[in-house]
């Protein structure tokens, strides 16, 4: 079948790479794609123009549309495709509010008794400042809407909390900050869990652990993610079962009962507290860079999995199989990221870096005058597999040392928690 993939980042490159391995895949189109997606034909298609997307699908006989980023989902592209009869992997606009509105998700958690942080949501600065009196410091301030993974502030003082509230309502995160959610600060180790659902059946995928802060030792501002590894052993099989039973299942059932059944991947950002796993937030798409390590480990047919999800028959296929190995990815970013990334820096030696099973996924690259250059904040995802996180980390950084990217940088400690645990267990 012919497949249309929406997106251009590292997540989409990883999805494209895995989709192309399926015998069910004939032609793959990527809109807009990136230079690394050699498996697909890059096309110019405005995902906000739903009529144009539908027309393209009809013209090219598209049998499956895969929507990578969150913005087209919140915008309702999946709804338009379903109305046109095109199978699509991704939730409706109403269901995508799980990511599009933090307040929507918090309210759903309250109704469904899903373990999460206590919270207050408000649409005005006076109400937010007054609500701060109900929370100890540190406190978490979140922009309600989409903010590219950056709309969360952990305030370490009352002054910082008040400043964050005022900045959000003053437009520091655009329309995303028109409403603010204030949450208690939860203590514990963070991890992510991924599953797919067709609105009824839930099929677990795998766990991962991301590294949000820009600097080694988890210091500096939050980013979209500087690296990840999978699986995250801290999320034990027992805890995974609790996540499914106490968090995912009531979410899927509540959305179904509310007339907005969820179809696609559910990405639960979790914190492992002394009371058990609690939900930090949901994302309505694969994580980036978590998707890269999940796709490295996935041994099952991704097209079959996504099509079964889109067609509401997840219960009829085999449970996906993942390699019993660790995958780790390191983000190479442009100097200045996340504030003002430097674009245009030349990149070379990627082919040499991909020796010995390494995969380099492109995230923010372009071709200029015949050269590969940086064209975004997060530029490359250098991804490795090994029997342990320590082995995958070693292989990934060995490959990074081969890549020539003078205007780029990376964290040098991705996977550090698990590397320490593995050293202590040896």
């Amino acid at each position: 079948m012919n497949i249309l993939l929406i997106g251009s980042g590292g997540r989409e490159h990883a999805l494209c790479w895995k989709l192309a391995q399926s015998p069910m895949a004939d032609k793959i189109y990527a809109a807009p794609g990136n230079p690394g997606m050699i498996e697909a034909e890059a096309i110019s298609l405005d995902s906000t123009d739903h009529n144009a997307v539908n027309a393209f699908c009809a013209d090219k006989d598209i049998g499956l549309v895969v929507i990578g980023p969150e913005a087209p989902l919140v915008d309702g592209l999946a709804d338009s495709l379903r109305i046109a009869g095109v199978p699509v992997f991704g939730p409706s606009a109403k269901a995508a509010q799980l990511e599009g509105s933090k307040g929507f998700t918090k309210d759903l958690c309250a109704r469904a008794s899903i373990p999460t942080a206590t919270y207050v949501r408000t649409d005005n600065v006076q109400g937010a400042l007054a609500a701060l009196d109900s929370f100890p410091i540190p406190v978490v301030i979140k922009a309600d809407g989409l903010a590219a993974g950056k709309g969360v502030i952990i305030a370490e003082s009352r002054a910082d909390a008040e400043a964050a509230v005022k900045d959000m309502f003053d437009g520091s995160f655009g329309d995303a900050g028109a409403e603010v959610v204030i949450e208690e600060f939860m203590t514990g180790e963070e991890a992510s869990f991924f599953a797919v659902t067709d609105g009824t059946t839930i099929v677990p995928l795998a766990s991962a652990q991301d590294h949000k802060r820009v600097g080694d030792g988890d210091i500096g501002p939050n980013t979209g993610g500087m690296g990840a590894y999978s699986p995250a052993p801290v999320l034990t099989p027992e805890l995974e079962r609790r996540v499914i039973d106490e968090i995912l299942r009531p979410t899927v059932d509540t959305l179904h009962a509310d007339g907005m059944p969820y179809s696609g991947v559910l990405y639960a950002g979790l914190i492992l507290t002394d009371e058990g796993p609690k939900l930090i937030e949901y994302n309505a798409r694969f994580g980036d860079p978590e998707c890269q390590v999940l796709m490295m480990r996935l041994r099952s047919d991704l097209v079959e999995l996504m099509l079964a999800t889109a067609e509401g028959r997840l219960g009829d296929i085999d449970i996906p199989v993942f390699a019993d190995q660790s995958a780790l990815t390191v983000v190479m970013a442009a100097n200045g990221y996340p504030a003002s990334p430097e674009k245009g820096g030349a990149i070379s030696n990627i082919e040499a870096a991909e020796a010995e099973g390494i995969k380099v996924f492109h995230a923010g690259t372009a071709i200029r005058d015949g050269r590969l250059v940086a064209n975004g904040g997060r530029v490359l995802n250098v991804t490795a597999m090994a029997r342990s996180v320590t082995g995958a980390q070693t292989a990934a950084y060995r490959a990074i040392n081969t890549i020539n990217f003078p205007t780029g940088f990376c964290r040098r400690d991705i996977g550090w928690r698990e590397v320490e645990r593995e050293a202590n267990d040896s």
Side-chain angles (χ1 to χ4, degrees):
M1 74 173 63
N2 295 333
I3 299 169
L4 172 62
L5 172 63
I6 305 292
S8 63
R11 166 184 49 226
E12 287 75 36
H13 186 186
L15 291 173
C16 182
W17 175 74
K18 184 55 68 173
L19 289 167
Q21 296 172 22
S22 169
M24 298 175 67
D26 294 320
K27 178 82 172 181
I28 301 176
Y29 299 91
N34 69 41
M37 296 185 195
I38 59 174
E39 305 87 356
E41 178 182 334
I43 58 168
S44 178
L45 185 63
D46 182 0
S47 64
T48 66
D49 187 342
H50 297 188
N51 290 333
V53 175
N54 280 331
F56 179 87
C57 291
D59 181 55
K60 300 298 183 181
D61 191 26
I62 299 297
L64 175 67
V65 176
V66 178
I67 302 176
E70 62 272 22
L73 295 170
V74 174
D75 187 47
L77 179 58
D79 301 85
S80 297
L81 288 162
R82 288 191 178 97
I83 290 171
V86 181
V88 55
F89 183 84
S92 67
K94 287 184 176 180
Q97 290 180 92
L98 279 181
E99 178 167 6
S101 170
K102 295 177 178 67
F104 171 87
T105 299
K106 298 299 291 190
D107 289 349
L108 182 146
C109 288
R111 289 187 290 117
S113 299
I114 294 169
T116 188
T118 59
Y119 74 102
V120 170
R121 61 184 298 195
T122 179
D123 61 2
N124 63 86
V125 66
Q126 294 83 7
L129 292 175
L132 288 174
D133 293 335
S134 304
F135 294 88
I137 299 296
V139 63
V140 182
I141 317 294
K142 295 182 177 180
D144 178 72
L146 296 179
K150 303 180 185 71
V152 178
I153 304 295
I154 299 173
E156 301 287 351
S157 69
R158 174 66 184 235
D160 288 346
E162 292 180 359
V165 165
K166 292 173 182 176
D167 284 347
M168 287 186 186
F169 282 113
D170 283 344
S172 60
F173 294 102
D175 292 341
E179 186 169 324
V180 164
V181 175
I182 300 173
E183 292 185 2
E184 70 167 312
F185 177 80
M186 297 185 290
T187 301
E189 188 167 344
E190 294 185 21
S192 303
F193 188 72
F194 296 83
V196 290
T197 178
D198 56 12
T200 304
T201 301
I202 298 174
V203 174
L205 296 179
S207 62
Q209 193 167 68
D210 189 15
H211 299 66
K212 285 291 187 188
R213 302 276 189 164
V214 72
D216 287 8
D218 291 324
I219 62 172
N222 272 341
T223 70
M226 294 300 293
Y229 65 91
S230 174
V234 69
L235 200 60
T236 64
E238 177 187 355
L239 289 176
E240 288 186 358
R241 176 47 55 190
R242 288 189 63 180
V243 170
I244 294 169
D245 293 343
E246 300 173 18
I247 297 176
L248 299 187
R249 173 50 65 189
T251 298
V252 170
D253 289 350
T254 300
L255 288 173
H256 192 277
D258 288 348
M260 52 182 85
Y262 191 101
S263 175
V265 63
L266 265 178
Y267 161 13
L270 307 165
I271 187 162
L272 308 181
T273 73
D274 291 340
E275 300 169 346
K278 293 187 178 184
L279 181 71
I280 298 174
E281 63 182 7
Y282 270 125
N283 291 309
R285 37 71 191 181
F286 282 103
D288 189 348
E290 294 95 335
C291 183
Q292 289 83 313
V293 288
L294 264 61
M295 293 304 106
M296 282 288 282
R297 294 183 58 226
L298 181 63
R299 291 294 175 261
S300 299
D301 189 318
L302 182 60
V303 174
E304 180 185 39
L305 178 67
M306 288 184 160
L307 191 62
T309 302
E311 295 178 344
R313 49 181 182 81
L314 263 181
D316 298 334
I317 68 169
D318 293 334
I319 297 294
V321 175
F322 286 81
D324 188 22
Q325 289 180 290
S326 295
L328 182 142
T329 191
V330 180
V331 169
M332 297 190 75
N335 287 343
Y337 178 77
S340 300
E342 178 182 343
K343 295 185 179 181
I347 305 165
S348 61
N349 287 359
I350 288 181
E351 288 186 4
E354 287 191 320
E356 301 178 11
I358 300 294
K359 181 64 184 176
V360 179
F361 295 111
H362 291 230
T365 63
I367 300 293
R368 302 248 175 88
D369 299 324
R371 297 189 310 162
L372 183 70
V373 299
N375 192 44
R378 295 184 296 170
V379 179
L380 300 172
N381 308 133
V382 182
T383 314
M385 286 248 295
R387 293 174 181 260
S388 65
V389 172
T390 303
Q393 184 195 62
T394 299
Y397 284 114
R398 184 168 57 240
I400 282 172
N401 292 337
T402 303
I403 295 172
N404 184 24
F405 182 18
T407 60
F409 75 98
C410 67
R411 279 184 59 165
R412 288 282 171 175
D413 64 346
I414 299 302
W416 67 269
R417 292 181 183 85
E418 195 56 34
V419 169
E420 285 186 358
R421 283 190 279 258
E422 289 176 352
N424 291 334
D425 291 342
S426 62

